Amino acid sequence: DDILVISHDALSDLNKIDYYFKMKKDSVGDPDIYLGSKIRMTAMDNGVNAWLMSPTKYVHEAVKNVERYLDREYGKKLPKRVSGPL
C-alpha cells in the first residue's frame, strides 16, 4: 500500500504514521507517480514551487485496457490511424 502526505512538514507526519504502521526505511521520499499520473516538482515563473502532473502514463494504460477488452469481448482492434476523433 502507498501513502501520500501533503504538508510543509511531511516527514514529521510520516514519522507519526510509522509509529503505528511500520514503513520500509528507504520507501519515504518524493513521489514519482500518483493515481496513475507521473508527478514532479517544478518551479513556476513566479518562483513558486508546485507539483506538476502528467496524465501520459494513465492514458497509455487506459488505452491498453480498452484494447484488451475489445480483443477479448469482440475480437476487434482499435485502428492505428484515424482522420478525426469520431
Side-chain angles (χ1 to χ4, degrees):
D1 291 328
D2 296 331
I3 185 169
L4 177 69
V5 175
I6 300 173
S7 171
H8 292 289
D9 188 15
L11 191 54
S12 174
D13 294 331
L14 286 170
N15 286 333
K16 291 174 187 173
I17 294 168
D18 185 52
Y19 180 80
Y20 297 99
F21 303 98
K22 293 297 177 196
M23 291 181 267
K24 296 176 186 171
K25 296 280 185 214
D26 59 345
S27 68
V28 177
D30 288 344
D32 56 350
I33 294 179
Y34 180 64
L35 297 177
S37 294
K38 291 182 182 179
I39 63 173
R40 65 179 171 89
M41 180 69 74
T42 188
M44 306 295 286
D45 290 339
N46 62 1
V48 172
N49 288 331
W51 287 101
L52 176 71
M53 295 182 77
S54 169
T56 304
K57 182 177 173 57
Y58 177 84
V59 171
H60 179 75
E61 290 300 318
V63 170
K64 282 176 44 178
N65 285 338
V66 169
E67 288 174 331
R68 281 192 295 268
Y69 175 79
L70 288 174
D71 184 44
R72 182 181 67 241
E73 297 296 321
Y74 303 102
K76 303 223 178 221
K77 296 186 181 294
L78 290 175
K80 296 292 180 190
R81 297 204 179 262
V82 295
S83 59
L86 300 176

